[in-house]
């Protein structure tokens, strides 16, 4: 136990299927099998598949003659993080759905996401008195910084090691200065 925890929320666009997610209207997909293999190899938990999850359908798209319902979005966590979870809610009632508002020629258009929000309540606390110096590590609007970021992420493990070890060579920050 390194003291690190893992919490991933993702729109995986894969189906784990009704054998994993009770009430999922689909069978597991080939990419679902790949994700499930990764989860099992690393002893992770798909929170959607536990009794801490309330709700099932994470994406609902209304077409002319049919409504597509799928489970495509997941919270995947390590065992230690799972112990901190109070609940996970899939907002199937769409009370808090992400919405885009655009205005053109004095008319407002409203577009709601076809994904239902995933809301997780976690029992964590932290010391708010500890101040961490924050600085911009990569300005991804700058072409030179984009190229350096690409080099660091494709040709070395320097960012990964820094994130895992909070390596003092890099100032203990989550990244590296360029």
């Amino acid at each position: 136990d390194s003291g690190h925890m893992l919490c991933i929320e993702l729109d995986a666009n894969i189906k784990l299927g009704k054998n994993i997610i009770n009430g999922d209207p689909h069978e597991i997909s080939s990419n679902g099998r790949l994700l499930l293999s990764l989860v099992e190899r690393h002893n992770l938990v798909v929170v959607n598949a536990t009794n801490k999850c309330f709700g099932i359908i994470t994406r609902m798209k209304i077409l002319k003659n049919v409504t597509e319902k799928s489970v495509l979005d997941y919270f995947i966590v390590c065992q230690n993080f799972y112990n901190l979870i109070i609940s996970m809610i899939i907002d199937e009632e769409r009370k808090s759905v992400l919405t885009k508002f655009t205005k053109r020629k004095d008319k407002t258009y409203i577009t709601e996401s076809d994904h239902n929000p995933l809301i997780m309540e976690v029992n964590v606390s932290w010391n708010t008195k500890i101040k961490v110096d924050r600085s911009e590590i990569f300005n991804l609007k700058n072409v030179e910084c984009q190229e350096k970021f690409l080099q660091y992420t494709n040709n070395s493990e320097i960012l990964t090691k820094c994130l895992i070890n909070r390596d003092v060579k890099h100032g203990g920050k989550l990244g590296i200065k360029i």
Side-chain angles (χ1 to χ4, degrees):
D1 184 3
S2 65
H4 294 88
M5 288 192 248
L6 176 74
C7 176
I8 303 169
E9 190 281 332
L10 68 154
D11 172 358
N13 276 327
I14 59 101
K15 297 173 179 82
L16 288 177
K18 53 187 153 196
N19 290 337
I20 304 299
I21 308 291
N22 191 25
D24 188 333
H26 299 281
E27 297 295 331
I28 192 167
S29 65
S30 58
N31 285 336
R33 281 190 274 287
L34 289 172
L35 180 62
L36 188 58
S37 173
L38 178 122
V39 165
E40 290 171 348
R41 275 194 322 269
H42 294 282
N43 197 28
L44 300 174
V45 178
V46 178
V47 183
N48 306 51
T50 71
N51 62 1
K52 292 185 181 187
C53 180
F54 301 93
I56 301 164
I57 302 301
T58 66
R59 179 180 175 269
M60 188 173 67
K61 187 169 187 171
I62 300 170
L63 304 171
K64 287 183 181 179
N65 299 325
V66 69
T67 300
E68 293 178 352
K69 293 183 178 183
S70 301
V71 180
L72 303 175
D73 306 288
Y74 305 93
F75 266 112
I76 298 174
V77 301
C78 67
Q79 296 289 330
N80 288 339
F81 194 92
Y82 181 74
N83 294 332
L84 300 175
I85 297 172
I86 296 167
S87 67
M88 174 189 156
I89 298 168
I90 299 170
D91 182 12
E92 292 181 312
E93 295 176 12
R94 302 177 60 78
K95 292 178 183 175
S96 302
V97 69
L98 290 174
T99 306
K100 178 181 177 181
F101 297 89
T102 52
K103 193 170 188 171
R104 289 184 295 226
K105 296 184 182 178
D106 298 331
K107 187 169 181 180
T108 302
Y109 297 89
I110 300 171
T111 307
E112 290 186 342
S113 172
D114 57 347
H115 289 260
N116 296 330
L118 307 185
I119 303 161
M120 182 182 288
E121 183 180 358
V122 183
N123 183 17
V124 294
S125 61
W126 58 88
N127 187 342
T128 58
K129 294 178 182 174
I130 296 174
K131 298 294 178 191
V132 176
D133 290 331
R134 298 182 185 261
S135 62
E136 185 173 273
I137 297 168
F138 291 104
N139 176 358
L140 294 178
K141 292 180 182 178
N142 176 298
V143 174
E144 182 182 329
C145 290
Q146 291 173 5
E147 290 170 359
K148 288 184 180 182
F149 180 81
L150 188 64
Q151 289 171 348
Y152 281 123
T153 54
N154 283 342
N155 302 324
S156 79
E157 294 180 358
I158 196 166
L159 289 176
T160 306
K161 287 179 182 174
C162 179
L163 288 167
I164 292 169
N165 302 329
R166 287 189 159 278
D167 194 336
V168 278
K169 284 194 308 194
H170 304 293
K173 299 189 188 323
L174 297 177
I176 109 173
K177 280 215 181 248
I178 56 171

